[in-house]
Amino acid sequence: MEIIVTEDYESMSRSAAEIILRQLKDKPDSILGLATGSTPEGMYRCLIKAYEEGTADFSKVQTVNLDEYIGLKGTHPQSFRYYMDTKFFDWVNISKKSTYMPDGMELCIDKIADDYEKKLEEIGKRDIQILGIGGNGHIGFNEPADSFAEYVNVVELTEETIAANSRFFSDGNVPKRAVTMGIKDIMSAERIILIVSGSSKRGILKKALYGGITPKVPASILRLHPNLVVIADREAGEELEEVR
Ligand code: PGA
């Protein structure tokens, strides 16, 4: 495990983007596992900038996202599809057909999970999986639980996550369910980059990296991954020991 503590959010974002850009230089048809949330926004901005400067080419890249809300259309401003389109895909030369997300509008709940699991299998091993961490230690929408969910599954969001998300839903209709890659899906990526920012994540990050490995802190399982890079800004990572 590598632990990198950067000066601030911008340098955290740049460090994560640089890893992706190096990956694309080595393998232009890389498969990227992507995440939403406020943490990766800066990383996407860096990738867009690299594309605009002519140093990044996404034309052969395929992407799979971690999760999506149930019941939101891709055009809903809070759907993760909308987030990905407007914050990243629309600004680079990626083919939208090569960007995959679970279908949160599929009416048959079992089918949502099965279809996405099949899609992940069909696409193959992700070269890099980007992750953020929730205030409760969740990765994707794998919430604290008594056991680790292995595969794509539909989850009831915890009160804490619903409350954290409510800032984005002015009409109060915060989705209560989501579909997410499971822990085994996440862990099957070749390399995992966990990016973490801000003092509010400091405690949970420490717990995930130094506490027990437990489904009560889903991110703690990442320590078993052979190729994990944690990039935290100073506010999140000031109590961590760097490992390079
Ligand atoms: P955030 O979310 O980046 O908006 O803090 C991270 C997460 O919940 O995984």
Side-chain angles (χ1 to χ4, degrees):
M1 170 169 57
E2 220 178 317
I3 301 180
I4 300 166
V5 180
T6 66
E7 207 37 54
D8 53 21
Y9 177 78
E10 288 311 318
S11 40
M12 176 206 75
S13 304
R14 225 173 17 249
S15 303
E18 275 163 11
I19 296 177
I20 292 182
L21 293 171
R22 273 200 301 276
Q23 169 69 33
L24 296 188
K25 283 248 149 51
D26 292 347
K27 188 180 168 212
D29 59 346
S30 290
I31 302 170
L32 304 178
L34 299 178
T36 50
S38 42
T39 314
E41 286 190 23
M43 180 192 78
Y44 293 130
R45 283 196 293 271
C46 292
L47 293 175
I48 293 167
K49 185 160 175 276
Y51 169 69
E52 288 171 348
E53 287 169 351
T55 56
D57 176 13
F58 296 91
S59 61
K60 297 191 177 70
V61 170
Q62 293 188 86
T63 66
V64 285
N65 262 75
L66 277 172
D67 45 16
E68 178 60 284
Y69 288 121
I70 300 284
L72 294 194
K73 284 195 185 134
T75 49
H76 188 292
Q78 297 309 331
S79 73
F80 291 161
R81 163 52 75 182
Y82 188 87
Y83 171 113
M84 290 307 304
D85 284 351
T86 55
K87 293 189 193 298
F88 184 38
F89 299 148
D90 286 347
W91 302 94
V92 297
N93 65 336
I94 197 164
S95 160
K96 286 276 179 76
K97 285 199 217 93
S98 305
T99 66
Y100 301 97
M101 325 254 316
D103 179 6
M105 288 305 286
E106 165 61 54
L107 291 177
C108 173
I109 293 289
D110 291 341
K111 198 164 175 303
I112 298 179
D114 288 353
D115 284 356
Y116 202 55
E117 190 64 48
K118 276 195 203 110
K119 184 49 83 184
L120 294 179
E121 264 168 42
E122 192 184 305
I123 290 172
K125 205 178 176 78
R126 272 148 290 139
D127 295 285
I128 289 180
Q129 175 67 56
I130 300 292
L131 290 178
I133 182 172
N136 61 4
H138 75 196
I139 44 176
F141 271 132
N142 292 280
E143 301 283 52
D146 293 331
S147 60
F148 290 109
E150 296 190 346
Y151 299 108
V152 178
N153 64 103
V154 171
V155 290
E156 304 288 333
L157 301 177
T158 60
E159 286 305 321
E160 189 178 354
T161 300
I162 294 170
N165 292 341
S166 64
R167 66 191 195 274
F168 302 115
F169 292 84
S170 52
D171 60 1
N173 287 326
V174 191
K176 300 202 166 37
R177 284 189 304 178
V179 52
T180 180
M181 276 189 206
I183 296 293
K184 215 168 190 161
D185 298 318
I186 291 173
M187 294 290 276
S188 69
E190 196 69 51
R191 185 161 30 155
I192 294 180
I193 304 173
L194 175 68
I195 48 178
V196 193
S197 168
S199 55
S200 66
K201 300 283 176 71
R202 192 183 301 155
I204 193 67
L205 179 60
K206 221 173 135 189
K207 230 177 180 174
L209 297 183
Y210 303 132
I213 294 177
T214 162
K216 305 268 187 231
V217 183
S220 62
I221 192 89
L222 298 175
R223 278 149 53 201
L224 301 182
H225 194 280
N227 201 348
L228 169 69
V229 184
V230 180
I231 309 175
D233 65 12
R234 176 84 46 214
E235 286 199 337
E238 71 173 13
E239 292 172 27
L240 305 182
E241 202 160 309
E242 286 205 85
V243 182
R244 296 223 192 202

